[in-house]
Every structure is written in structure tokens, then in C-alpha cells.
Amino acid sequence: MADTISSDRRSEIMSHIRSKNTSIELMVRRCLFHMGYRYRVNYKDLPGKPDIVFTKKKLAVFIHGCYWHGHGCQSRYAHISKSNQTYWGPKIERTKQRDQQHIEELEAQGWKVVVLWECQIRDHFEETMAQLKDIL
Ligand SMILES: [Zn+2]
């Protein structure tokens, strides 16, 4: 199978996308903290390790990058390039399936699940946080 991007470039992309504390996650966490909410992060005891968890309210929040989690939106965050799409396509598809499975498992356990997308957070931050506050 042809490798369409150099391994240097790939690890650069990977570390960028995979980093534990992505800036969008921090944006949301800081905002919630300032609003007075207290929460758990990267909660390992739940399916999919939700990014933010409100244990008493049984609310799990996932913060997903548009590209890596295959949002399928038209935002500029959703695509890197055609060749990368070919390379990562199957992996993104599996990630999407896993995400969906985690949501179903959480809901089956009585959790409410909210998925916040990168494009919402970056382009409509205040509305996104207001919506989350309504749910909380
Ligand atoms: Zn998106």
C-alpha cells in the first residue's frame, strides 16, 4: 500500500490531533470552570473515556475534532487534504463506529451524552456553551 504522506509529517499530524489536552477541550473546560461547574476529565470508568463528565448529573461530554472523528461538516477543520483522506479514511470510519458504540453503551447505562464538535466550539463558542449550560 502506498504511503501518501511522509512518516515525519504523519507523526506531526498524529501528535497534533491526538494530544490529550487539545485546545478546544481546554476552551470548553475553562469556560465551564468559570461558570462554576465542577467535573471530571478523561473519565476512564466509562465507555469511550468521555472528555468531561458530570457524575451527579450523569452527563458525559465528548469533544470531537471534525477531521479525526469524521464530522462530515463543511468546516475548514474537517479536511486536511485529499491524499490524507485516502490514507486516514478507513481509520476515521472505524473511529466513527466506535464513537457511536460508546454513545449507545453510555445511554444504555442511563447516561446523557453530548457531543461537541470542533467547528461548533471554534466558530460558535458562546452559543455552544449556552446550549451546554441549558442541558446542565
Ligand atoms: Zn464539524
Side-chain angles (χ1 to χ4, degrees):
M1 197 180 129
D3 198 346
T4 50
I5 44 175
S6 75
S7 54
D8 275 2
R9 177 78 185 121
R10 189 164 64 241
S11 54
E12 188 190 318
I13 295 167
M14 289 296 285
S15 64
H16 180 71
I17 298 174
R18 276 232 178 113
S19 73
K20 256 285 162 251
N21 291 316
T22 56
S23 56
I24 45 171
E25 211 179 302
L26 280 180
M27 281 167 75
V28 173
R29 272 156 53 175
R30 284 200 188 116
C31 186
L32 285 168
F33 194 84
H34 284 301
M35 292 195 298
Y37 293 108
R38 296 298 176 264
Y39 44 81
R40 309 281 296 267
V41 296
N42 300 123
Y43 200 75
K44 290 181 184 59
D45 296 338
L46 288 176
K49 275 187 252 166
D51 296 302
I52 300 172
V53 170
F54 298 88
T55 46
K56 281 190 194 128
K57 294 184 163 76
K58 284 200 103 175
L59 178 76
V61 179
F62 288 101
I63 294 165
H64 284 170
C66 293
Y67 179 76
W68 195 242
H69 291 266
H71 192 198
C73 63
Q74 296 301 310
S75 80
R76 62 184 178 279
Y77 318 113
H79 27 97
I80 296 176
S81 75
K82 267 253 155 61
S83 60
N84 286 358
Q85 217 156 9
T86 310
Y87 187 87
W88 292 117
K91 189 160 177 57
I92 291 169
E93 211 42 56
R94 283 197 298 277
T95 301
K96 272 171 76 175
Q97 285 168 10
R98 251 199 328 265
D99 288 343
Q100 189 52 43
Q101 205 186 323
H102 291 147
I103 291 170
E104 282 166 20
E105 284 169 24
L106 283 163
E107 286 176 348
Q109 292 176 30
W111 286 79
K112 212 188 293 178
V113 181
V114 174
V115 177
L116 299 179
W117 290 95
E118 182 177 13
C119 57
Q120 295 176 287
I121 294 165
R122 290 204 196 280
D123 297 344
H124 307 281
F125 187 61
E126 279 173 36
E127 287 136 276
T128 303
M129 294 312 295
Q131 280 167 16
L132 187 55
K133 200 181 167 195
D134 282 348
I135 298 165
L136 285 159

